[in-house]
Amino acid sequence: MNIAIETQKNWTPSRVSELYALPFNDLIFRAHGTHRENFDPNEIQLSTLLSIKTGGCPEDCGYCPQSARHHTGVENEPLLPLEEVIAAAKAAKASGATRFCMGAAWRGPKQRDLDAVAKMVSEVRQLGLETCVTLGMLKEGQAEQLKEAGLDYYNHNLDTAPDFYGHIVSTRRYEDRIETLERARAADLKLCCGGIIGMGESRTQRASLIAQLANFDPPPESVPINNLVQVPGTPLEGTPQLDPFEFVRTVAVARITMPKSYVRLSAGRQELGEAIQALCFFAGANSIFCGDKLLTTGNPEMASDQALFGRLGLRATT
Ligand code: SAM
Ligand code: DTB
Ligand code: SF4
């Protein structure tokens, strides 16, 4: 199947920009209506992240603490042993997660690494969890190997608008990202694909990112919206802070343009605060990462998420 962005031209960047320009109340009211038509508005899907290979990445992504080119204090560690991954997956399941996502700081996996990850995927799948991996760029045949091992989702983000991408990453091209996504789709994997907000992009560029995602045919099943975590030592440290309502608008626009996708509040959720998170849930976010760590940065404690769910009357998807 071809997910080429040419296939559906329904959501042009200018139509998405029109959504962004709506008065805030009109926008989130409309997004909430779309959300209610497609999902139980009080149910949130929980995913857990594990960094199976941390640091030392050869790529130069300006936001990322794991690039070997930035001095962030993140050490280059080897691939985790299988037993550690299984133990973490069991703990994730016990805490209510339905999906287990394994991330590796690679440009792409070498064959030996892929064999080890495939084993992890099949063991995690056997625990009754959905599986997701994010390993960088895939070569021919690698997506099929992961699918055969029992992989449900491949995470690979577009991260930003095509015309801003070169400001953020120089070691690969936007088209390389699209190619890996096409490989994952061709192997019948579900896509987890989103971006990062607050990297200094314009609203037009945010609209362009959302239009790209919404015009995939079909759109990604899972759309992580990351709020840039400004890690000391990364080139994006010191980027002017974005108005948090602009983040809520992005969630709302994602919900309207991708009505059947799960929209996930991803990195930088802690920094948003509880009131903004509540607005995001109203605007159509229906998935989060749970557990006190993402890959290398912090995430709200399980107990505080549970307390927030209690205060808002939200339930975790079972
Ligand atoms: N190396 C693989 C790749 O780049 O596709 C997989 C791991 S990479 C850490 C996964 C995603 O994490 C990136 O695409 C980016 O969206 C997100 N990410 C990394 N650092 C971030 C940060 N400081 N703030 C927000 N999101 C971040
Ligand atoms: C995604 O979009 N966000 C997650 C997951 N996919 C792999 C990663 C967030 C990483 C945040 C920075 C860190 O913790 O190192
Ligand atoms: Fe490497 Fe992925 Fe970080 Fe880029 S985002 S530096 S590819 S780990």
Side-chain angles (χ1 to χ4, degrees), residues 247-316:
F247 189 86
V248 183
R249 281 183 186 275
T250 303
V251 168
V253 165
R255 169 51 65 223
I256 293 167
T257 57
M258 293 171 273
K260 295 191 187 305
S261 303
Y262 279 82
V263 175
R264 179 174 313 114
L265 292 188
S266 302
R269 191 161 61 83
Q270 213 163 19
E271 290 77 3
L272 292 175
E274 295 188 330
I276 294 291
Q277 288 183 61
L279 275 176
C280 289
F281 294 136
F282 184 78
N286 61 349
S287 172
I288 59 169
F289 284 121
C290 63
D292 56 10
K293 201 169 166 200
L294 291 162
L295 294 173
T296 66
T297 63
N299 197 43
E301 302 272 335
M302 201 66 194
S304 59
D305 278 340
Q306 278 166 353
L308 181 62
F309 276 32
R311 287 160 67 203
L312 299 176
L314 296 173
R315 286 172 272 106

Side-chain angles (χ1 to χ4, degrees), residues 57-61 63-67 104-107 172 177:
C57 185
E59 303 285 87
D60 71 351
C61 312
Y63 47 79
C64 187
Q66 302 200 68
S67 167
W106 290 322
R107 175 173 164 83
R172 56 169 189 247
R177 301 299 273 182

Side-chain angles (χ1 to χ4, degrees), residues 83-261:
E83 303 69 48
E84 263 184 59
V85 175
I86 296 172
K90 284 183 178 162
K93 189 171 162 98
S95 65
T98 57
R99 190 178 311 161
F100 192 67
C101 311
M102 295 166 266
W106 290 322
R107 175 173 164 83
K110 298 191 183 75
Q111 192 50 45
R112 184 167 33 99
D113 296 327
L114 197 73
D115 294 342
V117 173
K119 184 92 185 107
M120 293 172 185
V121 166
S122 58
E123 296 278 337
V124 171
R125 194 83 193 68
Q126 278 171 36
L127 298 174
L129 284 159
E130 287 186 310
T131 52
C132 177
V133 297
T134 182
L135 313 173
M137 292 190 271
L138 296 178
K139 295 197 188 71
E140 214 183 316
Q142 293 189 321
E144 283 75 10
Q145 187 179 343
L146 289 167
K147 174 76 186 176
E148 237 163 73
L151 187 68
D152 296 299
Y153 289 82
Y154 197 76
N155 166 251
H156 202 62
N157 291 335
L158 290 183
D159 281 333
T160 192
D163 66 347
F164 194 60
Y165 197 76
H167 289 81
I168 303 296
V169 184
S170 80
T171 50
R172 56 169 189 247
R173 296 165 315 143
Y174 203 74
E175 295 73 43
D176 298 325
R177 301 299 273 182
I178 302 277
E179 188 177 297
T180 288
L181 290 163
E182 283 176 345
R183 291 211 158 120
R185 263 295 185 235
D188 204 21
L189 292 169
K190 292 183 195 160
L191 293 187
C192 174
C193 181
I196 308 177
I197 303 304
M199 298 197 290
E201 75 284 345
S202 64
R203 179 183 270 187
T204 306
Q205 286 166 330
R206 286 187 279 282
S208 167
L209 165 69
I210 298 292
Q212 292 278 328
L213 296 168
N215 284 329
F216 282 1
D217 183 17
E221 285 77 5
S222 179
V223 181
I225 308 287
N226 295 279
N227 172 32
L228 174 69
V229 183
Q230 297 198 14
V231 179
T234 59
L236 292 186
E237 180 190 10
T239 305
Q241 288 291 337
L242 190 73
D243 177 356
F245 295 133
E246 191 67 10
F247 189 86
V248 183
R249 281 183 186 275
T250 303
V251 168
V253 165
R255 169 51 65 223
I256 293 167
T257 57
M258 293 171 273
K260 295 191 187 305
S261 303

